[in-house]
Amino acid sequence: MTDKDIDVKKPKRKVDVCGYPLSIFFIVVNEFCERFSYYGMRAVLVLYFRYFLKWDDDLATSIYHTFIALCYLTPILGAIVADSWLGKFKTIVYLSIVYTVGQVVMAVSAIHDITDTDRDGTPDNMTFHVAMSMVGLFLIALGTGGIKPCVAAFGGDQFEDHQEKQRSTFFSIFYLSINAGSLLSTVITPILRGQECGIHSQQKCYPLAFGVPAALMVVALIVFIMGSGMYNKTAPKGNIMLEVCKCIGFAIKNRFRHRSKTFPKREHWMDWADEKYDKLLVAQVKMVLKVLFLYIPLPMFWTLFDQQGSRWTLQATTMDGNFGILMVQPDQMQTVNPILILALVPIMDSLVYPLIKKCHLNFTPLKRMTVGMLIAALAFVAAALLQLQIDQTLPKLPKGVAGQVKFLNLNQAPLTVTIDGTADVSVPAHQVNTGGYLTFDKPVRVVFNKNTSAGTDLPLMSQTRRTALVSPTLDMNLVYDLSKKPDDGMNAIRFVNGLGSPLNVTLGVGDIAPLSVSNYSLVPQGKAEFTIMNSGGASCLYSKELGFGSAFTLVIPSTFNIGIPDCWQAIQVVEDIKPNTIHMGWQIPQYFLMTAGEVVFSVTGLEFSYSQAPSNMKSVLQAGWLFTVAVGNIIVLIVAEAAQLPDQWAEYILFASLLAVVCIVFAVMSYFYTYTDPAEIEAQFSQPEHEPEEKKRDRVEMERKDSDCSKSSKGSDKKKRDSVVEQHNQDVKQSKM
């Protein structure tokens, strides 16, 4: 007897360790490494779009969610390939190779030195990096999604029928490895991203942040192949999803073909598949469709949930990540979710649900899911309230055509600025005017110290911020200021040289001509030290403690004496943009609410779906569940591109409102849902011996009515009915022989 005859390829050697097949340890290690690879890459992805590829928040969010949607669409393809063609083992190996190539391509795409021909730290051919990134992400989505439905099922195939207890324990360990891999990766890869690396210039190390997950994927592939000789490899037996789709398609086509009123109505539209398909299969498809109908509102939950890795991460970039001895990166806040999951799942199962049951409350699975959706909506309300506080620390550009200007006085005496002959503004020596930025919606004429003969025209520059440097000779020099916070929590520092001689400032500032200003230099959080030197070699050390996301102009006044010990005290500090003052810890409440909603909604949803599904169609519902995640992510990118709301808090409220409305719809649908017992329904079809004859009678009756509705002559109709009945009688005789 060959392997094909028995449909199962037995391992070359059966090795057990503590009652468990040794092969499962290769599978568990493979899953840990693969989840580390996926979640590690995903943790830094939106910041890679935002800061390396220089996309705006909306485009970065849209592409991120397009990728996530693709990751949850491809499992359907992977399941069909594994069950109908290659089998689980080959599918995992082949798609893991695709997955690994995608991770390597992603790491290569993040190397800025490849196209940085002028060695200034910025890629000169961004099209190359974008194209490489998109290819890498497509391969990753195909790989991770394709193997998703195969690995756990392949692990279950390794156990014998008498090892039910060990199989159950394996699945617990398997899902523990998933959480461990995702938790560790979301902690480690942001740290790797925060390092600086490069050949010609040092930049944020995205190649390392993507390279380590790529290396883990290589390890996952090697480990999985190493156990090849020990695996039970079940041959493909056909995919139930394809059979379900064919059955539904035939029912729709058959119903359309017999839409005439001459044909009697049937109790359910799926009953139109009875002529071709087994009644048990039709009944099972009905049960599946009943659950899938309830899935229609569910994508809205995932629309909110998956924004933890996009909008919420971008929100964290405008916050203060100083936790005392620990500096938290914005993308590390995502670790709050898996940590809270590990804490909340046992609390819900052992404390909250039993307590509700003791209170004699009928907290059904569908009611739990409704509550989970409401909690998720509250999480976005919390995010909106937090965003309102963050907005108070962000630079505010005027609307319309207006622009903003502030005056910086480089004189040793106070300065009076008269605007259009009416408004007077006081500017202290070596400082900016009182009140900060002034807003203008038209060109104005300014006069210094009431000297009307020396007026200067100030042109209008819409949607910009500028500083007007006023020299001791009352000449004005306009320079542009930052209009938004520096990227990635960095601080932008520039110097103004108020002396009559050139200066040089370290830490990337460079040479500064007399009575001029340097470009902004990006400096990380912490203590920054600048050395100021003149042409004679004398120097002065200036240090400043920096937070996150600020911009400062440091004014070296005309009275600056570079040779004295406390020379740094003469330097004046002008705050262009406030640092991030809202602490990242304030995101924890919204993460707590979202995770609580996930535990109540997702875990309960899977449990409910499996309890309502026929035993051989749980994979169909699993595919449907993953499809809702994909649709939810598609909704995000549609709203991000279509809504175009001016304020981020308003978008959070919009999503919360949409989920609240959908939650009401789901509650109504749940109210009319009747719970079923699939085993009981399947038992009704346990004696199908008369079914073939019934099917043939149905077919004969259908063909008879088809002939009645045709345009043929009555004589021809009679002949056709007689021939059909005669053929039926012969079929019945043969079936009874």
Side-chain angles (χ1 to χ4, degrees):
M1 182 177 291
T2 65
D3 290 336
K4 292 182 179 179
D5 294 328
I6 61 175
D7 281 338
V8 175
K9 185 176 180 180
K10 295 296 182 181
K12 295 179 180 178
R13 53 185 183 279
K14 177 70 173 178
V15 181
D16 285 355
V17 176
C18 299
Y20 294 86
L22 181 60
S23 57
I24 68 166
F25 294 99
F26 294 93
I27 297 173
V28 169
V29 173
N30 165 271
E31 184 65 12
F32 170 82
C33 294
E34 187 275 327
R35 290 291 86 186
F36 186 106
S37 177
Y38 173 73
Y39 282 106
M41 177 276 305
R42 175 174 158 174
V44 301
L45 186 59
V46 75
L47 297 186
Y48 169 75
F49 292 156
R50 181 67 183 82
Y51 300 134
F52 186 90
L53 299 182
K54 304 298 183 183
W55 292 345
D56 61 27
D57 287 358
D58 287 341
L59 181 57
T61 298
S62 297
I63 300 301
Y64 174 86
H65 287 284
T66 301
F67 167 69
I68 302 300
L70 195 58
C71 288
Y72 283 94
L73 286 174
T74 50
I76 299 174
L77 177 63
I80 293 174
V81 170
D83 292 343
S84 305
W85 182 28
L86 293 178
K88 298 184 185 72
F89 175 77
K90 289 184 178 180
T91 300
I92 294 171
V93 171
Y94 294 160
L95 289 181
S96 292
I97 294 173
V98 173
Y99 192 168
T100 304
V101 172
Q103 289 281 29
V104 172
V105 170
M106 199 67 196
V108 172
S109 74
I111 303 175
H112 65 274
D113 290 300
I114 293 178
T115 62
D116 186 13
T117 54
D118 55 6
R119 301 185 180 183
D120 64 348
T122 303
D124 298 319
N125 184 2
M126 194 60 76
T127 303
F128 168 82
H129 295 278
V130 171
M132 289 284 287
S133 299
M134 296 303 100
V135 171
L137 289 176
F138 176 78
L139 295 177
I140 292 171
L142 187 62
T144 188
I147 68 174
K148 189 185 293 289
C150 301
V151 180
F154 186 70
D157 291 343
Q158 307 309 305
F159 293 88
E160 304 292 342
D161 292 339
H162 65 278
Q163 294 179 305
E164 284 296 328
K165 182 178 179 181
Q166 289 88 339
R167 182 186 286 114
S168 177
T169 305
F170 159 74
F171 283 116
S172 298
I173 297 173
F174 183 83
Y175 289 112
L176 178 63
S177 70
I178 293 176
N179 285 303
S182 63
L183 177 60
L184 289 176
S185 63
T186 49
V187 171
I188 294 173
T189 52
I191 296 175
L192 300 178
R193 180 191 65 85
Q195 308 303 309
E196 292 191 348
C197 61
I199 300 173
H200 305 304
S201 60
Q202 299 292 302
Q203 302 294 329
K204 291 292 184 181
C205 206
Y206 289 101
L208 184 61
F210 290 138
V212 170
L216 264 293
M217 195 58 223
V218 172
V219 173
L221 177 59
I222 293 174
V223 168
F224 185 76
I225 294 176
M226 284 175 59
S228 175
M230 306 179 191
Y231 297 141
N232 284 330
K233 301 172 184 176
T234 305
K237 300 178 180 178
N239 188 270
I240 188 64
M241 284 189 290
L242 292 178
E243 192 69 16
V244 170
C245 291
K246 290 178 181 178
C247 183
I248 294 173
F250 178 80
I252 295 173
K253 183 175 67 174
N254 199 30
R255 177 67 185 89
F256 181 78
R257 191 170 60 231
H258 301 95
R259 61 188 180 277
S260 172
K261 292 183 179 180
T262 59
F263 298 100
K265 292 184 178 180
R266 301 192 179 184
E267 184 179 354
H268 192 282
W269 64 270
M270 274 302 302
D271 292 334
W272 289 94
D274 284 348
E275 283 79 13
K276 182 177 180 181
Y277 290 93
D278 184 78
K279 287 185 178 294
L280 174 60
L281 177 64
V282 173
Q284 291 171 331
V285 172
K286 289 180 185 178
M287 289 186 278
V288 168
L289 290 175
K290 187 179 178 181
V291 178
L292 290 179
F293 178 72
L294 278 180
Y295 281 5
I296 293 175
L298 302 191
M300 202 64 216
F301 174 86
W302 302 112
T303 297
L304 276 67
F305 178 81
D306 278 332
Q307 290 188 62
Q308 293 176 93
S310 56
R311 291 299 198 197
W312 286 13
T313 299
L314 293 172
Q315 183 186 60
T317 63
T318 59
M319 303 178 73
D320 181 6
N322 188 350
F323 282 76
I325 61 173
L326 182 65
M327 290 296 171
V328 175
Q329 299 293 329
D331 33 5
Q332 285 181 311
M333 285 301 294
Q334 298 174 59
T335 60
V336 175
N337 176 259
I339 292 173
L340 287 176
I341 285 178
L342 295 176
L344 289 178
V345 168
I347 291 176
M348 289 291 184
D349 288 341
S350 60
L351 182 62
V352 176
Y353 294 152
L355 185 61
I356 292 175
K357 188 175 182 180
K358 284 188 176 181
C359 295
H360 304 290
L361 296 175
N362 186 22
F363 200 38
T364 63
L366 292 179
K367 289 180 180 178
R368 292 184 194 178
M369 295 174 67
T370 305
V371 171
M373 296 168 79
L374 284 175
I375 295 174
L378 290 177
F380 263 59
V381 173
L385 295 175
L386 179 61
Q387 188 64 46
L388 285 171
Q389 299 302 313
I390 293 173
D391 288 347
Q392 302 301 316
T393 68
L394 301 178
K396 295 180 178 60
L397 286 174
K399 297 180 180 180
V401 298
Q404 293 180 325
V405 177
K406 68 175 184 286
F407 295 91
L408 175 57
N409 180 14
L410 299 182
N411 293 270
Q412 297 185 27
L415 181 70
T416 299
V417 181
T418 303
I419 302 172
D420 274 351
T422 56
D424 289 341
V425 178
S426 176
V427 188
H430 307 130
Q431 269 293 348
V432 296
N433 54 278
T434 306
Y437 285 103
L438 304 173
T439 301
F440 303 105
D441 58 3
K442 64 180 182 178
V444 295
R445 186 168 181 81
V446 296
V447 174
F448 302 117
N449 292 335
K450 305 295 184 179
N451 185 2
T452 56
S453 62
T456 304
D457 292 327
L458 184 63
L460 174 66
M461 295 294 291
S462 301
Q463 296 291 299
T464 61
R465 283 182 158 191
R466 294 174 293 171
T467 295
L469 303 177
V470 183
S471 70
T473 60
L474 301 185
D475 293 324
M476 186 175 70
N477 178 26
L478 284 171
V479 295
Y480 285 95
D481 300 347
L482 288 181
S483 58
K484 63 179 182 178
K485 282 186 171 287
D487 288 344
D488 211 6
M490 300 290 280
N491 300 278
I493 308 296
R494 67 179 176 181
F495 283 79
V496 173
N497 181 9
L499 298 176
S501 59
L503 293 173
N504 179 274
V505 182
T506 59
L507 212 62
V509 177
D511 295 329
I512 313 174
L515 303 177
S516 63
V517 62
S518 70
N519 293 325
Y520 282 107
S521 293
L522 295 179
V523 183
Q525 181 273 342
K527 186 177 182 180
E529 293 186 341
F530 303 89
T531 301
I532 305 169
M533 296 177 291
N534 61 15
S535 56
S539 64
C540 177
L541 180 65
Y542 177 81
S543 63
K544 182 172 180 57
E545 196 70 33
L546 300 174
F548 294 89
S550 63
F552 292 99
T553 297
L554 305 177
V555 182
I556 302 173
S558 57
T559 57
F560 182 72
N561 190 343
I562 201 170
I564 64 175
D566 294 332
C567 56
W568 58 272
Q569 293 184 351
I571 296 177
Q572 302 295 314
V573 179
V574 177
E575 186 180 72
D576 298 332
I577 296 177
K578 294 180 180 180
N580 302 344
T581 55
I582 307 298
H583 199 274
M584 281 187 195
W586 286 107
Q587 276 197 323
I588 293 178
Q590 66 200 51
Y591 272 101
F592 175 83
L593 289 170
M594 182 59 74
T595 306
E598 178 192 6
V599 170
V600 176
F601 173 87
S602 182
V603 175
T604 304
L606 286 172
E607 176 188 340
F608 162 77
S609 301
Y610 274 53
S611 70
Q612 298 296 291
S615 57
N616 65 331
M617 292 193 181
K618 298 187 187 299
S619 61
V620 178
L621 286 183
Q622 177 70 13
W625 184 266
L626 296 176
F627 185 73
T628 65
V629 181
V631 174
N633 281 271
I634 293 173
I635 294 174
V636 179
L637 66 95
I638 292 173
V639 174
E641 291 297 326
Q644 296 296 320
L645 296 175
D647 299 308
Q648 185 57 53
W649 67 266
E651 184 179 287
Y652 289 146
I653 293 296
L654 172 63
F655 279 119
S657 302
L658 290 174
L659 183 56
V661 171
V662 167
C663 184
I664 295 173
V665 173
F666 182 75
V668 173
M669 295 171 64
S670 302
Y671 179 79
F672 292 101
Y673 181 84
T674 303
Y675 289 84
T676 59
D677 184 356
E680 182 179 332
I681 294 176
E682 289 172 337
Q684 298 175 7
F685 300 91
S686 59
Q687 297 179 346
E689 59 269 12
H690 299 297
E691 190 170 331
E693 185 174 339
E694 292 174 2
K695 279 192 175 183
K696 289 172 183 173
R697 289 175 180 173
D698 290 340
R699 174 171 56 81
V700 171
E701 182 66 16
M702 192 65 65
E703 290 179 359
R704 184 188 66 77
K705 291 188 176 183
D706 281 343
S707 63
D708 288 344
C709 295
S710 67
K711 296 181 180 180
S712 303
S713 63
K714 293 183 179 180
S716 299
D717 290 345
K718 185 177 185 303
K719 291 180 180 179
K720 184 175 182 180
R721 286 198 301 271
D722 292 343
S723 64
V724 169
V725 172
E726 180 63 26
Q727 180 63 41
H728 165 62
N729 292 333
Q730 293 179 5
D731 290 342
V732 171
K733 290 179 180 179
Q734 291 178 359
S735 64
K736 292 180 178 179
M737 289 178 62

